[in-house]
Amino acid sequence: MSSATPASRATAATRTGHLRTGGAELNWHTDQAATIVVFVHGSFDDSSSWEKVVPLLPPGVTAVRYDRRGHSGSSAPGRAGSHEHAGDLVAVITELAGGSAHVVGHSYGALIALLVAARHPELIRSVLVHEPPALSLLSGDKEGEPLAIEAREHVIEVAALIEAGREEEAVALFAEKVGFGPTWRELFPPAERAMLAANAHTFLAQFRDPDHYALDLDALAAGRVPITLTMGTDGPAVVRRSTAILAERLPAATLHTLTGAGHAPHLSHPTEFAAAVARHLERAARA
């Protein structure tokens, strides 16, 4: 069961509120217009990560952003694995988007978007995902498997640091070695780093989820949901490789490269990322 609580505060352009679903309460924001796009953030992060992109979207786009369960303003009772996050996205689309929406996902949020697109194509008008960490695709790949092994070793260390209560160290290790590279602090000022550390506990559920990297490629390939994959030229090699393989496995998908961007173009290159979203929506409208 899910239900949307009326907005407790609002402006002429923006509504905010809470959505109760699957035992959790999700904090959400929408900017009202015609075409509805739901944005799904990545690990450690929250809905504020889209703030640079939303004002650059084309006229007529409603941007729905929410904190995934356990992150910032959203609660997280019990298990919070990929299936629960997928259920939350279904609830957001059903309750806040009238049962049909375009979805934009970043990193782990991209995996959630693809999971829902495979299971519930009737809810998804299109999907744009940036560098989904589909590391299961790298098994047996000469170039990608060593990268996946190295990433897994770092992730194990990140989880151990979180379990030891050393959240800031965990964020720094994840950001530098797995997500964003040595210049990650330029993307995340001190307040944002504090937010990442406060959300670090959510990574443990993700880490322990046996279906963390699971994708139903057969369902995605057989479905009629338009898919755009984006990747940066300067991001982590492991997610660039997994994105490239995903593009090969989904021949109907569009692959768009963002020159100079890394794993977080919505933060580093918001104008270019918003333009990619706009082009994607135009293609989806013609599909």
Side-chain angles (χ1 to χ4, degrees):
M1 292 292 293
S2 61
S3 62
T5 301
S8 57
R9 55 190 175 88
T11 68
T14 303
R15 293 191 304 131
T16 70
H18 293 84
L19 173 65
R20 290 187 293 273
T21 175
E25 189 171 87
L26 307 181
N27 181 51
W28 57 265
H29 312 259
T30 73
D31 298 272
Q32 294 301 291
T35 301
I36 302 176
V37 182
V38 178
F39 290 84
V40 190
H41 65 80
S43 301
F44 295 89
D45 217 339
D46 69 14
S47 59
S48 67
S49 65
W50 303 109
E51 288 180 352
K52 292 182 179 179
V53 171
V54 169
L56 303 174
L57 296 174
V61 171
T62 291
V64 179
R65 297 151 286 154
Y66 68 101
D67 301 333
R68 288 195 292 106
R69 66 170 56 206
H71 295 70
S72 296
S74 296
S75 65
R79 176 184 160 90
S82 59
H83 300 293
E84 287 70 31
H85 287 296
D88 290 343
L89 177 55
V90 167
V92 167
I93 294 171
T94 302
E95 297 291 336
L96 303 179
S100 178
H102 303 275
V103 180
V104 173
H106 167 241
S107 195
Y108 184 70
L111 290 178
I112 299 305
L114 292 172
L115 184 58
V116 173
R119 291 180 177 175
H120 301 283
E122 73 281 1
L123 300 179
I124 309 296
R125 296 182 63 185
S126 73
V127 172
L128 181 146
V129 288
H130 184 76
E131 296 184 347
L135 302 192
S136 60
L137 299 180
L138 301 181
S139 178
D141 180 67
K142 183 177 180 180
E143 177 184 346
E145 188 166 34
L147 297 172
I149 292 172
E150 181 181 8
R152 177 68 177 175
E153 291 173 350
H154 290 313
V155 164
I156 291 172
E157 187 176 354
V158 168
L161 288 171
I162 296 171
E163 290 174 330
R166 296 160 62 183
E167 290 86 357
E168 292 184 1
E169 294 176 61
V171 167
L173 177 61
F174 180 85
E176 180 170 346
K177 299 297 186 180
V178 181
F180 309 104
T183 61
W184 71 275
R185 288 179 177 81
E186 297 176 9
L187 292 173
F188 300 98
E192 281 71 18
R193 290 178 224 160
M195 176 269 292
L196 298 177
N199 288 334
H201 65 282
T202 63
F203 189 76
L204 290 179
Q206 177 180 317
F207 170 73
R208 294 165 180 160
D209 181 4
D211 296 324
H212 176 192
Y213 300 125
L215 282 179
D216 189 341
L217 293 181
D218 291 337
L220 289 172
R224 297 182 178 180
V225 176
I227 298 174
T228 294
L229 306 167
T230 62
M231 67 178 180
T233 57
D234 297 355
V238 64
V239 288
R240 285 192 285 113
R241 183 58 184 161
S242 67
T243 303
I245 292 178
L246 187 57
E248 294 172 2
R249 300 284 296 275
L250 299 175
T254 298
L255 177 62
H256 179 72
T257 300
L258 297 165
T259 302
H263 192 50
H266 54 305
L267 299 177
S268 64
H269 294 68
T271 300
E272 292 84 350
F273 188 75
V277 172
R279 286 191 294 270
H280 165 76
L281 294 175
E282 290 174 359
R283 285 194 296 269
R286 295 193 298 267

mmCIF file of all heavy atoms in Angstrom, residues 130-157:
data_model
loop_
_atom_site.group_PDB
_atom_site.id
_atom_site.type_symbol
_atom_site.label_atom_id
_atom_site.label_comp_id
_atom_site.label_asym_id
_atom_site.label_seq_id
_atom_site.Cartn_x
_atom_site.Cartn_y
_atom_site.Cartn_z
ATOM 1 N N HIS A 130 22.625 7.049 -16.405
ATOM 2 C CA HIS A 130 24.037 7.383 -16.521
ATOM 3 C C HIS A 130 24.879 6.367 -15.764
ATOM 4 O O HIS A 130 24.778 6.223 -14.546
ATOM 5 C CB HIS A 130 24.320 8.783 -15.977
ATOM 6 C CG HIS A 130 25.758 9.199 -16.176
ATOM 7 N ND1 HIS A 130 26.244 9.596 -17.408
ATOM 8 C CD2 HIS A 130 26.812 9.233 -15.323
ATOM 9 C CE1 HIS A 130 27.522 9.885 -17.298
ATOM 10 N NE2 HIS A 130 27.895 9.659 -16.055
ATOM 11 N N GLU A 131 25.699 5.647 -16.521
ATOM 12 C CA GLU A 131 26.699 4.723 -15.998
ATOM 13 C C GLU A 131 26.171 3.805 -14.901
ATOM 14 O O GLU A 131 26.654 3.816 -13.760
ATOM 15 C CB GLU A 131 27.920 5.511 -15.515
ATOM 16 C CG GLU A 131 28.632 6.241 -16.637
ATOM 17 C CD GLU A 131 29.897 6.962 -16.219
ATOM 18 O OE1 GLU A 131 30.132 7.123 -14.998
ATOM 19 O OE2 GLU A 131 30.654 7.371 -17.104
ATOM 20 N N PRO A 132 25.159 2.981 -15.207
ATOM 21 C CA PRO A 132 24.697 1.998 -14.219
ATOM 22 C C PRO A 132 25.813 1.005 -13.916
ATOM 23 O O PRO A 132 26.427 0.474 -14.844
ATOM 24 C CB PRO A 132 23.516 1.314 -14.926
ATOM 25 C CG PRO A 132 23.744 1.566 -16.386
ATOM 26 C CD PRO A 132 24.437 2.884 -16.489
ATOM 27 N N PRO A 133 26.098 0.764 -12.643
ATOM 28 C CA PRO A 133 27.196 -0.145 -12.296
ATOM 29 C C PRO A 133 26.777 -1.609 -12.424
ATOM 30 O O PRO A 133 26.720 -2.354 -11.439
ATOM 31 C CB PRO A 133 27.508 0.231 -10.843
ATOM 32 C CG PRO A 133 26.201 0.695 -10.306
ATOM 33 C CD PRO A 133 25.501 1.387 -11.452
ATOM 34 N N ALA A 134 26.498 -2.021 -13.645
ATOM 35 C CA ALA A 134 26.065 -3.397 -13.907
ATOM 36 C C ALA A 134 27.284 -4.302 -13.958
ATOM 37 O O ALA A 134 27.648 -4.845 -15.011
ATOM 38 C CB ALA A 134 25.282 -3.449 -15.213
ATOM 39 N N LEU A 135 27.916 -4.471 -12.808
ATOM 40 C CA LEU A 135 29.202 -5.173 -12.766
ATOM 41 C C LEU A 135 29.080 -6.656 -13.079
ATOM 42 O O LEU A 135 30.074 -7.292 -13.450
ATOM 43 C CB LEU A 135 29.852 -4.966 -11.396
ATOM 44 C CG LEU A 135 30.097 -3.500 -10.983
ATOM 45 C CD1 LEU A 135 30.997 -3.443 -9.763
ATOM 46 C CD2 LEU A 135 30.687 -2.684 -12.132
ATOM 47 N N SER A 136 27.866 -7.200 -12.947
ATOM 48 C CA SER A 136 27.694 -8.611 -13.302
ATOM 49 C C SER A 136 27.974 -8.856 -14.781
ATOM 50 O O SER A 136 28.349 -9.965 -15.179
ATOM 51 C CB SER A 136 26.271 -9.065 -12.964
ATOM 52 O OG SER A 136 25.318 -8.298 -13.676
ATOM 53 N N LEU A 137 27.845 -7.815 -15.602
ATOM 54 C CA LEU A 137 28.113 -7.953 -17.037
ATOM 55 C C LEU A 137 29.601 -8.103 -17.329
ATOM 56 O O LEU A 137 29.974 -8.483 -18.442
ATOM 57 C CB LEU A 137 27.581 -6.735 -17.799
ATOM 58 C CG LEU A 137 26.085 -6.463 -17.718
ATOM 59 C CD1 LEU A 137 25.739 -5.220 -18.542
ATOM 60 C CD2 LEU A 137 25.287 -7.656 -18.201
ATOM 61 N N LEU A 138 30.441 -7.798 -16.350
ATOM 62 C CA LEU A 138 31.889 -7.814 -16.581
ATOM 63 C C LEU A 138 32.521 -9.177 -16.331
ATOM 64 O O LEU A 138 33.703 -9.361 -16.619
ATOM 65 C CB LEU A 138 32.571 -6.767 -15.691
ATOM 66 C CG LEU A 138 32.095 -5.322 -15.903
ATOM 67 C CD1 LEU A 138 32.850 -4.370 -14.996
ATOM 68 C CD2 LEU A 138 32.256 -4.907 -17.355
ATOM 69 N N SER A 139 31.732 -10.110 -15.824
ATOM 70 C CA SER A 139 32.264 -11.443 -15.586
ATOM 71 C C SER A 139 32.677 -12.084 -16.911
ATOM 72 O O SER A 139 31.885 -12.181 -17.851
ATOM 73 C CB SER A 139 31.206 -12.309 -14.896
ATOM 74 O OG SER A 139 31.682 -13.625 -14.706
ATOM 75 N N GLY A 140 33.936 -12.500 -16.991
ATOM 76 C CA GLY A 140 34.448 -13.117 -18.207
ATOM 77 C C GLY A 140 34.917 -12.140 -19.260
ATOM 78 O O GLY A 140 35.458 -12.556 -20.287
ATOM 79 N N ASP A 141 34.726 -10.861 -19.024
ATOM 80 C CA ASP A 141 35.173 -9.847 -19.983
ATOM 81 C C ASP A 141 36.640 -9.535 -19.712
ATOM 82 O O ASP A 141 37.016 -9.162 -18.591
ATOM 83 C CB ASP A 141 34.324 -8.574 -19.845
ATOM 84 C CG ASP A 141 34.745 -7.487 -20.812
ATOM 85 O OD1 ASP A 141 34.570 -7.678 -22.034
ATOM 86 O OD2 ASP A 141 35.261 -6.449 -20.352
ATOM 87 N N LYS A 142 37.484 -9.685 -20.726
ATOM 88 C CA LYS A 142 38.931 -9.539 -20.544
ATOM 89 C C LYS A 142 39.295 -8.179 -19.980
ATOM 90 O O LYS A 142 40.165 -8.063 -19.104
ATOM 91 C CB LYS A 142 39.648 -9.779 -21.881
ATOM 92 C CG LYS A 142 41.155 -9.729 -21.793
ATOM 93 C CD LYS A 142 41.795 -10.044 -23.140
ATOM 94 C CE LYS A 142 43.316 -9.995 -23.052
ATOM 95 N NZ LYS A 142 43.962 -10.298 -24.375
ATOM 96 N N GLU A 143 38.659 -7.138 -20.480
ATOM 97 C CA GLU A 143 38.962 -5.790 -20.009
ATOM 98 C C GLU A 143 38.247 -5.462 -18.707
ATOM 99 O O GLU A 143 38.816 -4.844 -17.796
ATOM 100 C CB GLU A 143 38.553 -4.766 -21.072
ATOM 101 C CG GLU A 143 38.748 -3.319 -20.653
ATOM 102 C CD GLU A 143 38.235 -2.340 -21.686
ATOM 103 O OE1 GLU A 143 37.968 -2.746 -22.835
ATOM 104 O OE2 GLU A 143 38.092 -1.142 -21.347
ATOM 105 N N GLY A 144 37.004 -5.888 -18.591
ATOM 106 C CA GLY A 144 36.189 -5.447 -17.475
ATOM 107 C C GLY A 144 36.315 -6.247 -16.193
ATOM 108 O O GLY A 144 36.171 -5.690 -15.103
ATOM 109 N N GLU A 145 36.590 -7.549 -16.288
ATOM 110 C CA GLU A 145 36.608 -8.371 -15.079
ATOM 111 C C GLU A 145 37.657 -7.913 -14.066
ATOM 112 O O GLU A 145 37.341 -7.813 -12.869
ATOM 113 C CB GLU A 145 36.800 -9.842 -15.431
ATOM 114 C CG GLU A 145 36.642 -10.756 -14.232
ATOM 115 C CD GLU A 145 36.495 -12.208 -14.630
ATOM 116 O OE1 GLU A 145 37.116 -12.614 -15.645
ATOM 117 O OE2 GLU A 145 35.753 -12.938 -13.952
ATOM 118 N N PRO A 146 38.905 -7.602 -14.475
ATOM 119 C CA PRO A 146 39.867 -7.101 -13.485
ATOM 120 C C PRO A 146 39.411 -5.792 -12.834
ATOM 121 O O PRO A 146 39.661 -5.561 -11.645
ATOM 122 C CB PRO A 146 41.147 -6.892 -14.308
ATOM 123 C CG PRO A 146 40.993 -7.780 -15.500
ATOM 124 C CD PRO A 146 39.533 -7.767 -15.811
ATOM 125 N N LEU A 147 38.732 -4.944 -13.607
ATOM 126 C CA LEU A 147 38.217 -3.692 -13.051
ATOM 127 C C LEU A 147 37.142 -3.973 -12.014
ATOM 128 O O LEU A 147 37.079 -3.313 -10.964
ATOM 129 C CB LEU A 147 37.648 -2.821 -14.174
ATOM 130 C CG LEU A 147 38.632 -2.360 -15.249
ATOM 131 C CD1 LEU A 147 37.877 -1.668 -16.387
ATOM 132 C CD2 LEU A 147 39.669 -1.409 -14.652
ATOM 133 N N ALA A 148 36.277 -4.950 -12.300
ATOM 134 C CA ALA A 148 35.212 -5.299 -11.364
ATOM 135 C C ALA A 148 35.784 -5.888 -10.078
ATOM 136 O O ALA A 148 35.297 -5.599 -8.975
ATOM 137 C CB ALA A 148 34.246 -6.284 -12.011
ATOM 138 N N ILE A 149 36.824 -6.708 -10.206
ATOM 139 C CA ILE A 149 37.460 -7.304 -9.022
ATOM 140 C C ILE A 149 38.065 -6.208 -8.145
ATOM 141 O O ILE A 149 37.901 -6.209 -6.917
ATOM 142 C CB ILE A 149 38.524 -8.327 -9.447
ATOM 143 C CG1 ILE A 149 37.850 -9.538 -10.096
ATOM 144 C CG2 ILE A 149 39.369 -8.754 -8.255
ATOM 145 C CD1 ILE A 149 38.817 -10.518 -10.724
ATOM 146 N N GLU A 150 38.747 -5.261 -8.766
ATOM 147 C CA GLU A 150 39.352 -4.161 -8.010
ATOM 148 C C GLU A 150 38.273 -3.320 -7.325
ATOM 149 O O GLU A 150 38.395 -2.953 -6.151
ATOM 150 C CB GLU A 150 40.181 -3.274 -8.937
ATOM 151 C CG GLU A 150 40.854 -2.109 -8.214
ATOM 152 C CD GLU A 150 41.646 -1.228 -9.167
ATOM 153 O OE1 GLU A 150 41.545 -1.438 -10.395
ATOM 154 O OE2 GLU A 150 42.358 -0.320 -8.689
ATOM 155 N N ALA A 151 37.181 -3.024 -8.050
ATOM 156 C CA ALA A 151 36.095 -2.236 -7.471
ATOM 157 C C ALA A 151 35.475 -2.970 -6.288
ATOM 158 O O ALA A 151 35.150 -2.366 -5.257
ATOM 159 C CB ALA A 151 35.044 -1.933 -8.523
ATOM 160 N N ARG A 152 35.297 -4.270 -6.437
ATOM 161 C CA ARG A 152 34.711 -5.067 -5.361
ATOM 162 C C ARG A 152 35.581 -5.017 -4.117
ATOM 163 O O ARG A 152 35.072 -4.907 -2.988
ATOM 164 C CB ARG A 152 34.545 -6.512 -5.824
ATOM 165 C CG ARG A 152 34.014 -7.467 -4.768
ATOM 166 C CD ARG A 152 32.589 -7.185 -4.408
ATOM 167 N NE ARG A 152 32.080 -8.154 -3.434
ATOM 168 C CZ ARG A 152 30.885 -8.079 -2.872
ATOM 169 N NH1 ARG A 152 30.068 -7.092 -3.188
ATOM 170 N NH2 ARG A 152 30.492 -8.993 -2.000
ATOM 171 N N GLU A 153 36.888 -5.065 -4.277
ATOM 172 C CA GLU A 153 37.797 -4.982 -3.126
ATOM 173 C C GLU A 153 37.642 -3.657 -2.404
ATOM 174 O O GLU A 153 37.623 -3.603 -1.160
ATOM 175 C CB GLU A 153 39.239 -5.181 -3.591
ATOM 176 C CG GLU A 153 39.522 -6.604 -4.068
ATOM 177 C CD GLU A 153 40.903 -6.741 -4.692
ATOM 178 O OE1 GLU A 153 41.558 -5.700 -4.921
ATOM 179 O OE2 GLU A 153 41.319 -7.889 -4.963
ATOM 180 N N HIS A 154 37.511 -2.578 -3.151
ATOM 181 C CA HIS A 154 37.315 -1.265 -2.531
ATOM 182 C C HIS A 154 35.969 -1.208 -1.817
ATOM 183 O O HIS A 154 35.860 -0.655 -0.716
ATOM 184 C CB HIS A 154 37.389 -0.168 -3.592
ATOM 185 C CG HIS A 154 38.749 0.058 -4.158
ATOM 186 N ND1 HIS A 154 39.886 0.181 -3.363
ATOM 187 C CD2 HIS A 154 39.166 0.206 -5.446
ATOM 188 C CE1 HIS A 154 40.940 0.390 -4.135
ATOM 189 N NE2 HIS A 154 40.531 0.406 -5.384
ATOM 190 N N VAL A 155 34.935 -1.769 -2.434
ATOM 191 C CA VAL A 155 33.593 -1.736 -1.843
ATOM 192 C C VAL A 155 33.564 -2.510 -0.529
ATOM 193 O O VAL A 155 32.907 -2.088 0.439
ATOM 194 C CB VAL A 155 32.565 -2.299 -2.847
ATOM 195 C CG1 VAL A 155 31.254 -2.639 -2.160
ATOM 196 C CG2 VAL A 155 32.317 -1.291 -3.963
ATOM 197 N N ILE A 156 34.265 -3.624 -0.475
ATOM 198 C CA ILE A 156 34.351 -4.395 0.771
ATOM 199 C C ILE A 156 34.983 -3.545 1.866
ATOM 200 O O ILE A 156 34.519 -3.530 3.020
ATOM 201 C CB ILE A 156 35.149 -5.694 0.547
ATOM 202 C CG1 ILE A 156 34.343 -6.657 -0.340
ATOM 203 C CG2 ILE A 156 35.499 -6.353 1.880
ATOM 204 C CD1 ILE A 156 35.136 -7.878 -0.780
ATOM 205 N N GLU A 157 36.021 -2.812 1.530
ATOM 206 C CA GLU A 157 36.681 -1.938 2.506
ATOM 207 C C GLU A 157 35.754 -0.802 2.920
ATOM 208 O O GLU A 157 35.715 -0.414 4.091
ATOM 209 C CB GLU A 157 37.979 -1.387 1.930
ATOM 210 C CG GLU A 157 38.807 -0.620 2.930
ATOM 211 C CD GLU A 157 40.153 -0.164 2.375
ATOM 212 O OE1 GLU A 157 40.484 -0.549 1.244
ATOM 213 O OE2 GLU A 157 40.856 0.591 3.092
#
